[in-house]
Amino acid sequence: MNNDEAKFVLRAYRPGGGDAGDPALAAALEQAKKDPALAAWFEREQAHAAIVATKLRLIAPPAGLRDAILAGARAGTAAGRRRHGWRRPAWLAMAAAMAVLFSVAAWWRLAPVGGASFEEFAVNFVDRGFRLQKHSADISELEAWLAEKRGPLPAALPAELAALRALGCRTLEFRGREVSLVCFERDGKEFHVFVARREVLADTADTAGPRFHGHGKLVAGAWSDARNHYVVVSDADLPTLQRLL
Amino acid sequence: MSNEAFTQLVDAHYGALHRFALSLARNGADAGDLVQQTFFIWATKGGSLRDTAKAKAWLFTTLYREFLRGRRREARATSIEELPPGEQDIAAEEIDRVARLDAGAVMAALQSVDDVFRAPLTLFYLEELSYLEIADALAVPIGTVMSRLSRGKAQLRAALTAEERGAGAKVVAFAAAKGGKS
């Protein structure tokens, strides 16, 4: 086994030492003990892997996921028991449930979203839930789509915010005026950026630096530039949002 | 399986499964769905899956299969794996730079790695499965896992460097913002 072959094998060695007893890796480990250059390479490789592993462990699952898993599994097993004991056609119950769901959804979609201010409207819009009209992680595609729809375009975004993974965008109306919405995501938290032209929201106060507010489970940050007013609404915590802006 | 045992199983593994799903799906909503679906299958599948000693590997395998079922794109794998290796040794400064990045930036870099390398790479960093178990979970030969880890690590290092450079600027033009397709 030469050093290149040893490196190839040792890249599969987990940083926590979980593979210490693996006989297939033993020869490569033994070679690393005898060859200082290979040993130094392996040490850096493990240090790098350990840092990446540590960073990933810091990412916590979203609040509520555990309860949703447990509730979903209980519902599934209960449904399974019912199926075995009582042969009611499942599609019949499903169809009835869907009919109720669609009628509720239709009412829900028609109800307008209110808000005394641009920020309050944005928070209410996110809180109610919405659908993206354009899905893409490519910012230039989103910009082209918004331009085609004549939605207000962000002049610039804080770099930390713009570096998040884009999910998509849509347009909507606030007080009969066009608003653009661009959505980003990181670590299971979503960041929804609402953009309105300054001239159409004359009563919205200028906010040169971002101002932050908590709104129950959501947080919001608002700021302005020469062209637009912006509000970002997120389900992340306030410090996370402040770091992004 | 009793409710208590199932809850213990969820508590033991849902965090790591969520990180794996987040890496694969690249967004929180789909990741949550994948984890829920995985445990739902465990809860409803029947007696054949009740060997709890193998539960962890089974859960990761099932989550990955559910992800693939949703994506249905294996054709790219062959051409990507034919790329020549080009790894440079890791410098000490590179380790320090990664240490300064926040967890979200590291996950974002991982999410930018090509699909075919990302699954084994994430499982490797989660440290829950050995390379042998990763090979079983992904249904690929052991040598392929090693090859994908090697190439995936090279891609990840490049992505981490890009994340680190991107963390410098304060404001960027909207059109100039990062825009890799998922």
Side-chain angles (χ1 to χ4, degrees), chain B residues 106-128:
Chain B
V106 173
M107 176 55 88
L110 187 58
Q111 288 172 332
S112 73
V113 171
D114 284 338
D115 292 358
V116 71
F117 306 132
R118 199 166 66 250
L121 200 59
T122 307
L123 289 172
F124 170 80
Y125 286 119
L126 291 177
E127 301 186 78
E128 298 281 348

Side-chain angles (χ1 to χ4, degrees), chain A residues 10-169:
Chain A
L10 289 174
R11 284 196 184 94
Y13 190 95
R14 285 174 288 177
D19 300 309
D22 188 317
L25 297 178
L29 283 171
E30 200 56 40
Q31 188 160 328
K33 285 179 187 166
K34 293 174 187 166
D35 184 324
L38 183 60
W41 170 87
F42 185 51
E43 189 179 332
R44 287 195 299 273
E45 184 78 15
Q46 288 282 285
H48 189 273
I51 287 174
V52 173
T54 301
K55 299 281 181 185
L56 293 184
R57 275 197 294 273
L58 294 175
I59 296 172
L65 178 60
R66 177 182 179 277
D67 291 342
I69 292 167
L70 295 174
R74 273 196 293 271
T77 49
R81 280 195 297 273
R82 276 199 304 275
R83 269 199 302 277
H84 289 299
W86 178 35
R87 296 195 174 274
R88 177 186 172 189
W91 64 267
L92 207 60
M94 180 91 75
M98 291 299 276
V100 172
L101 200 63
F102 282 134
S103 60
V104 171
W107 168 84
W108 175 80
R109 291 245 169 248
L110 288 171
V113 175
S117 66
F118 185 37
E119 178 174 327
E120 194 178 311
F121 163 78
V123 169
N124 290 341
F125 193 83
V126 171
D127 194 37
R128 192 185 70 169
F130 61 89
R131 299 177 77 90
L132 290 170
Q133 294 166 328
K134 170 70 178 173
H135 291 265
S136 175
D138 189 331
I139 289 285
S140 58
E141 273 186 30
L142 301 182
E143 186 187 31
W145 189 89
L146 288 172
E148 186 188 323
K149 302 290 178 190
R150 301 187 182 282
L153 292 174
L157 289 176
E160 289 282 320
L161 184 64
L164 303 185
R165 181 171 303 284
L167 297 173
C169 64

Side-chain angles (χ1 to χ4, degrees), chain A residues 7-19 22 24-25 41 43-53 55-62 65-66 68-70 72-77 136-143 146 153-160 162-167 182 184-190 243, chain B residues 3 6-7 10-11 14-15 18-19 22 26-29 32 35-36 39-40 43-44 87 89-92 94-96 98-108 110-112 122 124-133 143 146-147 149-150 153 156-157 160 163 166-167 169-175 177-182:
Chain A
K7 286 180 179 179
F8 181 75
V9 171
L10 289 174
R11 284 196 184 94
Y13 190 95
R14 285 174 288 177
D19 300 309
D22 188 317
L25 297 178
W41 170 87
E43 189 179 332
R44 287 195 299 273
E45 184 78 15
Q46 288 282 285
H48 189 273
I51 287 174
V52 173
K55 299 281 181 185
L56 293 184
R57 275 197 294 273
L58 294 175
I59 296 172
L65 178 60
R66 177 182 179 277
I69 292 167
L70 295 174
R74 273 196 293 271
T77 49
S136 175
D138 189 331
I139 289 285
S140 58
E141 273 186 30
L142 301 182
E143 186 187 31
L146 288 172
L153 292 174
L157 289 176
E160 289 282 320
L164 303 185
R165 181 171 303 284
L167 297 173
V182 185
F184 299 87
E185 189 260 358
R186 176 185 276 183
D187 301 343
K189 300 296 181 188
E190 295 180 350
R243 279 197 297 276
Chain B
N3 276 346
F6 181 72
T7 302
V10 172
D11 287 340
Y14 88 106
H18 175 259
R19 288 186 274 275
L22 196 57
R26 296 166 160 167
N27 76 74
V35 178
Q36 285 191 58
F39 279 110
F40 182 82
T44 57
E87 301 97 21
D89 286 357
I90 298 171
E94 189 177 339
I95 296 170
D96 293 339
V98 177
R100 285 195 294 270
L101 288 172
D102 65 29
V106 173
M107 176 55 88
L110 187 58
Q111 288 172 332
S112 73
T122 307
F124 170 80
Y125 286 119
L126 291 177
E127 301 186 78
E128 298 281 348
L129 306 180
S130 70
Y131 66 96
L132 298 168
E133 291 169 318
M146 289 183 166
S147 172
L149 286 177
S150 188
K153 283 183 173 184
L156 177 65
R157 285 172 56 198
L160 287 168
E163 285 286 338
K170 290 293 180 196
V171 174
V172 295
F174 182 55
K178 185 174 104 177
K181 288 178 184 178
S182 59

